[in-house]
Each structure stands twice: as C-alpha cells, then as structure tokens.
Amino acid sequence: MDLFNVYPLFDITPVRGEGCYVYDEQGQAYLDFYGGHAVISVGHAHPHYVERIGRQLQALSFYSNSVQNPLQQELADKLGELSGCENYQLFLCNSGAEANENALKMASFHNGRSKVIAFHRAFHGRTSAAVNATHNDKIKAPINTTFEVEFHPWGELEGVEQSLAREDVSVVIIEGIQGIGGIHVPEPAFLEALEQACRRHDTVLILDEIQSGYGRSGRFFGFQYATVEPDLITVAKGMGNGFPMGGVLIHPRFEASYGQLGTTFGGNHLACMAGIAVLDILKSEQLLENARVMGDYLMQAFKGMKKINEVRGRGLMIGLQFDFAVAPLRKHLLYEEKVFTGSAADPNTLRLLPPLTLGRQEADRFLERFERSLRHKKALAT
Ligand SMILES: Cc1ncc(COP(=O)(O)O)c(C=O)c1O
C-alpha cells in the first residue's frame, strides 16, 4: 500500500534523538532548531521522560474515560501550578486541532452563537471548525465552511469591536504568539482590550497556546506577558514532547455536564504520564527561565546580523525576516550544516523553535553554522 502523498519530504531519516540533536541511520547528528514543528519541549529522549513512560507502559497504557484515572488529576494539578491557572478546569484530547475544535464548540454551547472572529495569518488546525478559523482557503473543503468567520488584521481592534457590537459573535480565537503565520507577537495592550471587548458582548475569548505555550515564550503561556484571563486556553505540541496529546483549559465560569465533550483516547494513561514527566522537567530544570535567557541571547546575536531585516519573537520562539525566500537557506543549513530549522507562511521568514533545554554551547554552535550559511551564495540563491 502506498502512503497518501501529502508531505514533501527531506531526504533524511532520523532514527534516534538526544537532547537538542537527532541522528540519522548513519549516525550523523543534526542540531534540532525546529523541534519537529515546535513539539520537542524537554529535549529528545530525556531520561526522566523515557523512564516514566517506560514504567507506565509496563503497568497500564490505556483504559477508557469511564473509570478513575488519578494520573489525569495529577497532570491537571501540576499544569495548574506551573501555569498559574489553578482555577481552570482541564479537558484532555489528542492534538492541537482537536483542542481548538472542542474550544470552539464549548464557546458555541455557552452563548448559542456560531460566528467566529480570527486574525490574518492565523493557523488553528485542520479539523472542521478549526480549519474554518484558519486564514488559508486552500486547506478548507466546502464541508468546513458551514459557519461565518471574519478575519481581522493582526493587532487592530476597531473592526473587531464593531463586529462584537452586533452581539452575534460566538468567539474570538487568537494565538498567544502567531506561529506558522511567521512569529508575530501581539501587543499586551491589544490582548487586554480584546478581552475587555469580548466580556462586554458575552463573546468567548480563546487563546490558542498550542505553539506558544508550555514555556516556549519564556513564560508558561505567551499571553502571560499581558494581563488577561482567557475563557479557554488550548494546548498541545510541547505538552507531550512528542507523545500526541492536547487539552483545553476551561475557565471556572463554564460548567461541565456529562457527555458534553468526550474522546476515546484523550487523557489515556500513557499520555498523562508523558504530560506529567514534561511538567516535572519544565519545573525541575527551570526551563521557562532557560527559554527566556537563551532566547534573549540568540535574539541579541541576530540583531547584529546585517542580512536579517527583522527579529521577532519571545523566548525560544523566534522569527527571522529576510528580504529573500529562505528555502535555499534552510536546505543549506540542513544538508551542509546539519541543522533543522522551520519555514513559515511568509516565504521570507525563518522560524526557530529549538527544545527549551537549549544550552549556551548549542546556541553558539547554531550561530556559527548559521553565519557560515549566510555567507554562502547557494544558501541565498533566490
Ligand atoms: C497555533 C496552532 N494551533 C493549532 C495547531 C494544530 O495542531 P495539530 O497539528 O496538533 O492538530 C497548530 C499546529 O501547528 C498550531 O501551530
């Protein structure tokens, strides 16, 4: 049977990972400055993570959501403590898109409306409602476009307020820091005004922290650089460090009822243990602080490089803007310098999302290889 051919692939086969490196079949090391789409938070094959999941696998990997599973509560307690969102409730699912799908549904249950406001360049996933709230018509099928979505310019409140005043908007969804859109950081004042406007019109505010959450920005959530209390916060990616899992943090003003949301696999024993191990490591190794320090260090270095037009981001979520397409640069970095980096919707943006365990030596190694690539004609070919 052939694989359904939807992914353009690099000709590299990673078979092993350790810390900030992955290794191919020949044992060649690659410095991972992308974390496989921003997924690797605590590093590849972290010994604590491996040990906890291994032990859980031997004990019990799965039972359904019809029995007691104390690991779910342990995960919720640890997530509450580290994020500062102790008063929220947690619904566990399996991916980022599914987290947003459930959040959009919760919002619509709550106020009985169906219109959605999202922002230019937004990406919220590929399931039915989530993809409709994504600013990319090419990935929407007719079956996805069954409710109205308004896309507003990033950071502009006026149009949003006018729409909200019509009292028919169910939800505003916004990324804590835009990821695939090219690493765009919202002004704290914008998020705060957006929250106030939503409150005034009984519109639900969803903060999509799927890429910017779990310490990547240097705080637990990207929105925590502002003073806001979102109704719903969605998480995935770094939450499981590669184990597929997602979640919705739900404000106490929402009351659960039996059967309102549900999933077979969400919150299973193995996933919970992966999530607990990630939170333990984030805390014990102070990785939020590390993301902040190493992010500042890298961004300072980038700001001194003439070929870079703009440096955006927070912590270890960094976007570099060039005045040329970065595809050849990424290829050069990968094949010649053995470094993984990420692309963005804007072809001139390079996206960097290394593990939050990144050390000074690895950062320096990256800078050295990156500067060497930038001097190379082939890397800059347009
Ligand atoms: C901000 C954001 N939301 C949602 C998603 C969808 O997550 P998943 O691919 O796990 O469904 C992504 C994935 O890249 C994302 O970056």
Side-chain angles (χ1 to χ4, degrees), residues 65-81:
N65 278 312
S66 61
V67 295
Q68 301 289 331
N69 176 358
L71 296 175
Q72 292 187 354
Q73 192 57 55
E74 186 181 344
L75 173 65
D77 289 343
K78 288 185 166 166
L79 175 54
E81 186 202 326

Side-chain angles (χ1 to χ4, degrees), residues 9-40:
L9 302 180
F10 289 118
D11 189 18
I12 289 175
T13 311
V15 292
R16 190 170 75 77
E18 194 180 330
C20 295
Y21 291 91
V22 290
Y23 298 82
D24 71 11
E25 294 154 303
Q26 283 79 42
Q28 173 67 55
Y30 291 82
L31 184 54
D32 188 3
F33 257 61
Y34 187 46
H37 296 323
V39 164
I40 302 302

Side-chain angles (χ1 to χ4, degrees), residues 62-332:
F62 175 83
Y63 204 77
S64 79
N65 278 312
S66 61
V67 295
Q68 301 289 331
N69 176 358
L71 296 175
Q72 292 187 354
Q73 192 57 55
E74 186 181 344
L75 173 65
D77 289 343
K78 288 185 166 166
L79 175 54
E81 186 202 326
L82 207 61
S83 67
C85 296
E86 288 100 336
N87 57 336
Y88 282 66
Q89 311 157 82
L90 178 63
F91 176 73
L92 289 163
C93 55
N94 309 286
S95 69
E98 202 187 326
N100 282 336
E101 197 76 19
N102 280 294
L104 291 163
K105 195 166 156 181
M106 277 302 298
S108 188
F109 272 136
H110 177 74
N111 55 25
R113 306 171 186 169
S114 62
K115 190 160 153 186
V116 172
I117 287 183
F119 292 90
H120 288 182
R121 297 182 306 243
F123 185 88
H124 297 296
R126 289 170 180 272
T127 55
S128 198
V131 80
N132 200 21
T134 288
H135 194 218
N136 180 357
D137 284 342
K138 278 192 252 164
I139 60 171
K140 294 181 201 182
I143 200 171
N144 304 131
T145 53
T146 51
F147 59 89
E148 193 184 343
V149 186
E150 273 180 19
F151 292 97
H152 287 260
W154 183 248
E156 283 184 32
L157 196 64
E158 206 183 310
V160 176
E161 277 189 320
Q162 282 167 9
S163 280
L164 292 179
R166 289 195 278 275
E167 307 271 327
D168 64 347
V169 178
S170 172
V171 54
V172 174
I173 182 166
I174 182 168
E175 288 158 83
I177 297 173
Q178 269 194 340
I180 297 169
I183 314 293
H184 295 274
V185 181
E187 287 295 333
F190 172 68
L191 283 185
E192 287 158 13
L194 192 61
E195 183 202 34
Q196 294 305 314
C198 285
R199 287 267 176 285
R200 281 197 297 277
H201 300 289
D202 195 26
T203 295
V204 171
L205 178 64
I206 301 176
L207 253 297
D208 177 342
E209 290 283 349
I210 287 160
Q211 191 164 145
S212 53
Y214 263 77
R216 182 147 294 282
S217 72
R219 301 216 171 141
F220 196 88
F221 290 124
F223 76 78
Q224 287 173 329
Y225 286 87
T227 310
V228 293
E229 206 178 63
D231 296 300
L232 303 165
I233 306 163
T234 52
V235 290
K237 292 198 186 278
M239 183 183 199
N241 196 51
F243 199 98
M245 64 189 302
V248 189
L249 282 72
I250 302 170
H251 194 276
R253 86 170 60 87
F254 292 77
E255 216 178 298
S257 64
Y258 288 155
Q260 189 178 35
L261 303 178
T263 156
T264 297
F265 294 119
N268 70 71
H269 295 69
L270 265 188
C272 283
M273 191 47 86
I276 289 167
V278 165
L279 289 165
D280 286 346
I281 298 164
L282 287 176
K283 185 177 174 187
S284 65
E285 298 187 11
Q286 298 172 10
L287 294 184
L288 277 60
E289 167 77 6
N290 189 61
R292 206 157 47 231
V293 170
M294 294 313 300
D296 286 350
Y297 177 70
L298 283 168
M299 282 196 265
Q300 213 45 47
F302 292 136
K303 282 178 182 157
M305 296 183 192
K306 284 199 190 71
K307 288 199 174 97
I308 302 174
N309 288 0
E310 195 185 4
V311 180
R312 295 189 293 267
R314 279 201 168 117
L316 290 173
M317 185 164 182
I318 300 174
L320 304 178
Q321 193 68 30
F322 295 87
D323 58 13
F324 52 86
V326 298
L329 175 61
R330 287 185 64 222
K331 249 187 175 163
H332 194 270

